[in-house]
Amino acid sequence: MGNALFSFTRAIGSAGLALALAGCPGEPPSEPRERVAAPSGTTLADKQWLQPLDASEPDVWLASRSAGRDLAVGDPAVAEWRAILADADARFGEDQRMIANRAVQLETMLREIDIKEGVRELLAGFAPFAGKGSRSGFSDLCQHYYNLRSQGLTRVAALDLLRQQAPPGTPPAAAGPAGAQP
């Protein structure tokens, strides 16, 4: 009986100590173990990127971003973006969501160094570097392009250099300059 009484007393004492420590004034509340970023925008058009579990479709997102307002799936602008992303998806190893996110990220990074190139323009400029079915690396291409542009190369010069540096077997770029925009 003495053993049981001792165990009971110890349990009560431990519980009391835990309650006292939990309610100490001046103690900051414990932080959650995982921090979750707040959504970047309240509308689809305002989103900075698509989260992996975001149910939004990349074509609707890009069309909405371009329009500056949320568009419905049936909007003709969404169909245009769907075709652009399907073409990119057939060429690059990343899926449409990743391609859309990377292209928007590149557009943002370029804007930060005062270069105005849109997602549509970037995708059109990169398409000749990857033949359909090649599954080339879109993210790598974005990084190389950004590095060249941040070094002061024009759009045409950067795309020409990327074309020259393409590994053997990469399809040649379409005839003519890839765009005359600096």
Side-chain angles (χ1 to χ4, degrees), residues 155-169:
R155 173 180 169 77
V156 171
L159 292 173
D160 284 345
L161 189 56
L162 288 172
R163 186 178 301 108
Q164 293 168 15
Q165 295 174 348

Side-chain angles (χ1 to χ4, degrees), residues 1-47:
M1 171 116 161
N3 237 358
L5 182 59
F6 176 72
S7 294
F8 178 72
T9 305
R10 195 165 81 178
I12 295 293
S14 295
L17 181 60
L19 283 173
L21 290 175
C24 286
E27 284 275 326
S30 63
E31 290 188 30
R33 291 182 184 195
E34 182 178 322
R35 294 179 187 247
V36 178
S40 59
T42 55
T43 66
L44 188 58
D46 292 334
K47 286 186 180 185

Side-chain angles (χ1 to χ4, degrees), residues 36-63:
V36 178
S40 59
T42 55
T43 66
L44 188 58
D46 292 334
K47 286 186 180 185
Q48 300 299 309
W49 69 298
L50 295 179
Q51 300 280 345
L53 299 177
D54 190 331
S56 305
E57 292 297 324
D59 52 357
V60 179
W61 174 53
L62 291 176

Side-chain angles (χ1 to χ4, degrees), residues 23 26 29 58 66 69 71 80 94-95 101 105 117 133 137 139 144-146 149 159-160 165-166 171 178:
S66 293
R69 62 184 173 79
L71 298 178
E80 290 174 27
E94 294 90 340
D95 65 11
N101 276 335
Q105 180 184 34
E117 286 185 56
S139 295
H144 292 308
Y145 183 75
Y146 174 78
R149 294 292 275 148
L159 292 173
D160 284 345
Q165 295 174 348

Side-chain angles (χ1 to χ4, degrees), residues 116-162:
K116 307 244 184 303
E117 286 185 56
V119 170
R120 185 184 305 256
E121 190 175 14
L122 292 166
L123 289 170
F126 292 174
F129 295 112
K132 289 192 176 187
S134 73
R135 311 310 292 160
S136 296
F138 185 76
S139 295
D140 290 342
L141 191 55
C142 288
Q143 187 61 52
H144 292 308
Y145 183 75
Y146 174 78
N147 290 342
L148 294 171
R149 294 292 275 148
S150 66
Q151 293 169 12
L153 273 67
T154 66
R155 173 180 169 77
V156 171
L159 292 173
D160 284 345
L161 189 56
L162 288 172

